[in-house]
């Protein structure tokens, strides 16, 4: 059974990585340990089996298994949103029903992709998906993908069980307008980690993203700065996060995140093929860059890294 109302799902929400072992199997022990780490360090909720979770490399059964394991481990201590996106409506519905039965608080989905679906078909996808379960649905729009425009999002947002939007973009004018138009109970999640501060200032209720797996504590401080209207502190922290992110994004993503988490002193497993797994010796430059960054800012926020 879902435990949280959608309006209680806010703050820092890691788009949870899936932790695989060296044989590419989902590593349940590692998943549980990572959830503990994130809960201890500022995660306010979890977003499962999205692109950061490498969902498109996983079978339906594996996705369902991750959902069950995570919900069992979190055990109501944090809200859980499950990404059920796939190209086929029937498959997404199957994932949605399982997520609901497992106790997810909401489902979420990217629009159907790869083929150029018509607007009506995308609307139909969200209608059918949202009607298949009782829990709310959070639409996931990646602006760069160019699949949905503002009109289509607004139309989909009118569906009764559509209660939120994860909006990933480097500009927040549309996101801010959508928040204004859709009102306080329609939850908006800013999806670009490089722009979390700006997203929150533009009215987002929370932030969902990849880097919150590794540095949820830093982002918790950004959320606090926004709450306290401390612009100077918010900007300082976001700048620090950005330099960290841009250094990492020179490498393959999301697999580099496994190494980054190792440097926090965690055994964080592997990505699954075709993602490339870096050996430590290939990352001397990145470590040097991150170490310099930490020293430059004398940032207590990054001292947690064993670089
Ligand atoms: O949803 C993620 N976006 C995509 C969130 O995967 C397209 C972000 O968290 C990015 O990974 C992050 C790094 O660019 O902002």
């Amino acid at each position: 059974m879902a435990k949280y109302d959608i309006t209680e799902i806010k703050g820092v929400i890691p788009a949870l990585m899936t932790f695989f072992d060296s044989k590419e199997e989902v590593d349940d022990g590692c998943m549980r340990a990572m959830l503990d780490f994130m809960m201890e360090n500022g995660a306010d909720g979890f977003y499962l089996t999205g692109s950061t979770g490498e969902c498109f490399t996983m079978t339906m059964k594996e996705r369902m298994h991750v959902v069950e394991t995570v919900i069992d481990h979190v055990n109501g201590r944090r809200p859980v949103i499950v990404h059920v996106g796939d190209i086929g409506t029937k498959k997404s519905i199957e994932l949605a029903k399982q997520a609901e039965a497992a106790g997810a608080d909401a489902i979420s989905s990217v629009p159907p992709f790869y083929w150029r679906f018509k607007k009506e078909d995308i609307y139909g996808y969200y209608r059918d998906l949202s009607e298949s379960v009782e829990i709310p649905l959070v639409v996931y729009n990646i602006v760069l993908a160019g699949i949905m425009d503002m009109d289509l999002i607004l139309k989909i947002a009118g569906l009764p069980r559509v209660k939120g939007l994860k909006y990933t973009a480097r500009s927040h004018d549309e996101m801010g307008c959508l928040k204004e138009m859709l009102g306080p109970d329609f939850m908006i999640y800013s999806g670009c980690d490089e722009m979390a501060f700006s997203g929150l200032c533009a009215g987002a209720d929370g932030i969902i993203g990849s880097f919150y797996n590794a540095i949820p504590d830093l982002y918790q401080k950004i959320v606090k700065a926004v709450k306290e209207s401390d612009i100077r502190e918010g900007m300082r922290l976001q700048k620090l996060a950005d330099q960290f992110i841009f250094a990492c994004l020179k490498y393959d993503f999301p697999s580099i995140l496994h190494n980054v988490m190792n440097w926090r002193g965690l055994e964080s497993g592997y990505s699954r093929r075709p993602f490339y797994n870096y050996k430590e010796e290939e990352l001397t430059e990145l470590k040097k860059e991150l170490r310099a960054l930490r020293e430059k800012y004398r940032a207590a926020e990054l001292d947690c890294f064993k670089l």
Side-chain angles (χ1 to χ4, degrees):
M1 272 285 283
K3 292 202 169 59
Y4 293 86
D5 185 74
I6 188 80
T7 54
E8 296 174 294
I9 311 181
K10 46 193 176 187
V12 180
I13 303 171
L16 191 71
M17 295 157 66
T18 302
F19 300 94
F20 298 99
D21 67 18
S22 58
K23 297 198 172 66
E24 299 190 54
E25 299 301 325
V26 176
D27 186 338
D28 288 355
C30 191
M31 295 292 303
R32 291 176 189 268
M34 293 302 150
L35 289 164
D36 287 341
F37 160 76
M38 289 176 222
M39 285 192 279
E40 279 158 25
N41 285 281
D44 293 310
F46 295 101
Y47 185 94
L48 321 187
T49 54
S51 52
T52 305
E54 302 179 33
C55 69
F56 300 118
T57 73
M58 293 164 73
T59 64
M60 301 274 285
K61 205 170 150 210
E62 286 170 330
R63 287 173 72 164
M64 292 180 183
H65 172 75
V66 166
V67 170
E68 258 162 36
T69 308
V70 173
I71 294 178
D72 173 67
H73 192 75
V74 172
N75 194 20
R77 290 175 289 169
R78 301 286 189 283
V80 171
I81 306 174
V82 176
H83 175 261
V84 299
D86 204 286
I87 307 183
T89 308
K90 200 164 180 294
K91 288 162 84 184
S92 300
I93 288 178
E94 210 179 303
L95 291 167
K97 284 185 183 295
Q98 184 265 345
E100 181 177 47
D105 298 288
I107 53 163
S108 178
S109 180
V110 290
F113 54 93
Y114 188 74
W115 290 289
R116 277 254 153 221
F117 292 101
K118 293 193 297 293
K119 280 189 184 189
E120 306 87 83
D121 295 336
I122 296 173
Y123 176 79
Y125 170 83
Y126 281 112
R127 181 200 54 226
D128 297 345
L129 183 58
S130 66
E131 285 175 359
S132 74
V133 286
E134 303 281 329
I135 52 177
L137 185 147
V138 174
V139 175
Y140 182 4
N141 184 39
I142 303 179
V143 174
L144 256 182
I147 299 177
M148 294 193 286
D149 59 21
M150 188 96 162
D151 289 345
L152 180 55
I153 293 174
L154 280 169
K155 194 168 171 227
I156 295 167
L159 288 163
R161 288 203 192 98
V162 173
K163 304 275 190 206
L165 171 68
K166 168 164 151 52
Y167 189 93
T168 299
R170 289 242 178 114
S171 121
H172 288 137
D173 52 339
E174 281 193 355
M175 194 193 74
C177 290
L178 286 164
K179 182 69 197 171
E180 283 291 308
M181 291 162 96
L182 296 166
D185 291 341
F186 189 94
M187 304 303 276
I188 304 254
Y189 305 100
S190 177
C192 181
D193 312 1
E194 300 86 321
M195 302 287 291
F197 177 65
S198 152
L200 291 164
C201 291
D205 301 285
I207 49 178
I208 301 178
S210 322
F211 278 84
Y212 316 146
N213 284 269
I215 42 176
D217 32 9
L218 176 55
Y219 278 94
Q220 198 52 255
K221 289 182 182 171
I222 293 180
V223 168
K224 180 166 175 276
V226 174
K227 272 191 197 142
E228 293 171 355
S229 304
D230 190 345
I231 292 180
R232 199 184 294 265
E233 177 66 353
M235 284 177 69
R236 180 186 79 83
L237 294 167
Q238 183 67 63
K239 203 165 167 183
L240 181 60
D242 284 359
Q243 289 184 286
F244 186 88
I245 294 171
F246 291 132
C248 294
L249 290 183
K250 290 182 201 152
Y251 298 80
D252 291 349
F253 188 82
S255 61
I256 191 65
L257 277 177
H258 290 274
N259 301 84
V260 169
M261 296 195 73
N262 279 330
W263 300 333
R264 282 210 74 164
L266 302 158
E267 287 289 322
S268 59
Y270 301 86
S271 275
R272 179 174 259 192
R273 285 176 301 169
F275 290 112
Y276 180 71
N277 285 294
Y278 289 97
K279 293 177 196 66
E280 281 295 299
E281 57 270 27
E282 293 174 284
L283 300 172
T284 330
E285 275 308 307
L286 177 58
K287 279 187 176 178
K288 215 194 296 173
E289 204 174 330
L290 296 183
R291 205 176 295 130
L293 182 64
R294 189 178 65 184
E295 275 148 28
K296 181 172 146 203
Y297 281 89
R298 286 197 196 86
E301 290 85 7
L302 295 181
D303 270 354
C304 46
F305 285 96
K306 296 181 171 48
L307 293 166

